[in-house]
Amino acid sequence: MISRRKTRLVHVGSVGIGGDSPISVQSMVNTLTTNIDETVFQIHRLEEAGCALVRVTVPDKASAKALPAILKRISIPLVADIHFDYHLALMAVDAGVQKIRINPGNIGSGKRIREVLRACESAKIPIRIGVNSGSLEREIMEKYGEPTARGMVESGEKHLKICYDYGFKDVIVALKSSNVSMMIEANRLFAGKYDVPLHLGVTEAGPKGSGTIKSAVGIGTLLAEGIGDTLRVSLSSDPLDEVKAGYQILKALGLQRQGVNLISCPTCGRMSFDLVHIASEIEARTSHIKDAIKVAIMGCVVNGPGEAREADIGIAGLGRGKARLFIKGIENEIIDEEDIIPRVLDEIDQLINDDMR
């Protein structure tokens, strides 16, 4: 059982981050914010996949003016991603967004900072400070000569101190790097000093395959140590893949039990049916399910029966295209290979219906 680091609770609309709140998975749309219909459509897809909060970019006034129309058509909290221009932050607050992603030290004078923080405090919305190893301040780069974990922490501390000096405490911090080891070290250092909720992510992780692996290593390492309150898997891919990968990381650590947890064996010469196709098909056809169900698809009699008994629904190969079906640990009938997919899906539906009674 993983013991999570105790952090301050921050509310982003209806979603709690930190404290005893579940670790939330978030993403960012890749549409132009001014294209309201496309942005809303993508947000709805992400919400259906379990995305708890979603971020949009606000690079100009036209994007800020589109926020009210977007907010009217979505139900999950909306985060405005803003850099440098404090006017855009004020417009986003007035629009009703539930969080601002902005670094206070980058928006100019103390008067501007005070104005943004007061607006956020009045609207009861938090700020997310985002530190990226690729865009550290000049003075930090001059001090260390290159991006470092300590430099990342110092950058976060600088922006955090500005908020604290103005009495603003509803802050979430993200310390991200494309260097997985640096990202891990920076978050460890920060977590040892502050009770501020942490947003985890390996930035610019890459395409879906390699990016998911990097993110699983970086985010998963920290979560296993109890560090992290929300996460985004940053991929050069469909944002939907980010949400799916985020939940897979949480499920692998036992931090999220929502959805179908599919166990399947690595293939070998003992495999007695087309396990790769069957497991992939079941995974694809159950991705929409929110109920916590464990399914095991095992190809032979060596490890198969044991894993199958531990699952809600289990399949263990017997050879010659046959498999034993297990339901809640109890041996059931022997079925043919072509019947495995429809039978497993039927049994999943049955479990869901039983739980609803």
Side-chain angles (χ1 to χ4, degrees):
M1 179 69 70
I2 295 173
S3 177
R4 284 178 60 192
R5 177 182 73 112
K6 191 71 172 180
T7 57
R8 183 185 308 132
L9 175 62
V10 173
H11 289 284
V12 181
S14 59
V15 177
I17 296 179
D20 296 323
S21 298
I23 297 169
S24 55
V25 175
Q26 55 182 284
S27 185
M28 184 174 185
V29 297
N30 56 19
T31 57
L32 291 174
T33 307
T34 49
N35 191 327
I36 295 169
D37 288 341
E38 281 193 13
T39 299
V40 169
F41 176 74
Q42 196 170 100
I43 290 173
H44 286 166
R45 289 179 68 227
L46 291 170
E47 183 179 9
E48 288 172 6
C51 185
L53 55 157
V54 65
R55 185 159 38 118
V56 297
T57 184
V58 184
D60 49 40
K61 289 184 178 179
S63 299
K65 289 177 180 178
L67 295 174
I70 294 170
L71 283 160
K72 287 179 182 177
R73 295 168 60 183
I74 66 173
S75 57
I76 60 175
L78 189 67
V79 183
D81 189 270
I82 295 164
H83 296 271
F84 310 120
D85 191 337
Y86 85 107
H87 289 106
L88 299 179
L90 295 173
M91 290 178 70
V93 172
D94 287 342
V97 301
Q98 285 83 15
K99 186 170 78 170
I100 298 289
R101 186 271 190 228
I102 193 169
N103 289 351
N106 294 343
I107 59 176
S109 66
K111 180 181 178 181
R112 293 179 177 181
I113 295 169
R114 187 185 306 112
E115 195 171 350
V116 170
L117 294 179
R118 283 180 175 172
C120 290
E121 186 173 33
S122 177
K124 294 182 170 56
I125 66 171
I127 284 175
R128 198 257 281 186
I129 294 170
V131 176
N132 190 316
S133 67
S135 57
L136 292 175
E137 294 88 336
R138 181 183 300 174
E139 62 271 21
I140 292 177
M141 289 296 293
E142 289 175 352
K143 177 178 178 179
Y144 291 99
E146 61 182 359
T148 66
R150 292 191 179 278
M152 291 173 65
V153 172
E154 284 190 22
S155 176
E157 288 177 323
K158 181 188 79 170
H159 296 292
L160 186 64
K161 184 178 184 301
I162 292 171
C163 292
Y164 283 5
D165 285 348
Y166 285 103
F168 189 85
K169 297 292 181 70
D170 280 345
V171 180
I172 298 163
V173 170
L175 301 158
K176 297 187 178 185
S177 176
S178 57
N179 181 314
V180 177
S181 296
M182 190 184 302
M183 170 265 190
I184 292 171
E185 183 183 356
N187 280 277
R188 282 173 176 164
L189 290 171
F190 190 90
K193 300 175 71 174
Y194 301 97
D195 67 348
V196 177
L198 280 171
H199 168 131
L200 301 183
V202 176
T203 192
E204 292 105 30
K208 180 179 176 180
S210 59
T212 299
I213 292 172
K214 290 177 186 176
S215 298
V217 172
I219 296 171
T221 296
L222 291 165
L223 291 176
E225 297 174 4
I227 298 171
D229 303 282
T230 185
L231 65 91
R232 179 195 175 192
V233 178
S234 301
L235 301 175
S236 303
S237 185
D238 186 330
L240 205 62
D241 294 327
E242 298 186 348
V243 177
K244 292 177 180 178
Y247 276 109
Q248 290 297 332
I249 293 170
L250 292 177
K251 284 197 282 187
L253 291 166
L255 294 168
Q256 169 61 246
R257 290 177 169 79
Q258 176 178 295
V260 174
N261 182 13
L262 183 61
I263 310 297
S264 62
C265 61
T267 58
C268 74
R270 295 189 302 268
M271 188 171 59
S272 60
F273 54 80
D274 190 354
L275 185 143
V276 174
H277 166 70
I278 290 173
S280 298
E281 186 71 12
I282 291 172
E283 181 178 53
R285 292 170 66 172
T286 60
S287 62
H288 64 287
I289 293 174
K290 300 296 190 292
D291 298 65
I293 299 173
K294 184 177 180 180
V295 176
I297 308 295
M298 306 297 292
C300 76
V301 296
V302 176
N303 295 317
E307 290 285 359
R309 285 192 183 93
E310 293 298 317
D312 295 304
I313 301 164
I315 293 289
L318 298 175
R320 299 183 301 280
K322 302 286 185 179
R324 173 73 72 180
L325 174 67
F326 291 78
I327 305 295
K328 293 287 186 179
I330 305 299
E331 284 191 19
N332 210 286
E333 67 205 78
I334 295 173
I335 58 178
D336 294 323
E337 177 175 355
E338 59 266 25
D339 295 326
I340 292 175
I341 293 174
R343 185 59 186 275
V344 169
L345 295 176
D346 285 345
E347 293 295 342
I348 290 173
D349 287 341
Q350 186 63 49
L351 282 178
I352 293 172
N353 292 332
D354 289 345
D355 288 341
M356 292 175 64
R357 289 174 187 155

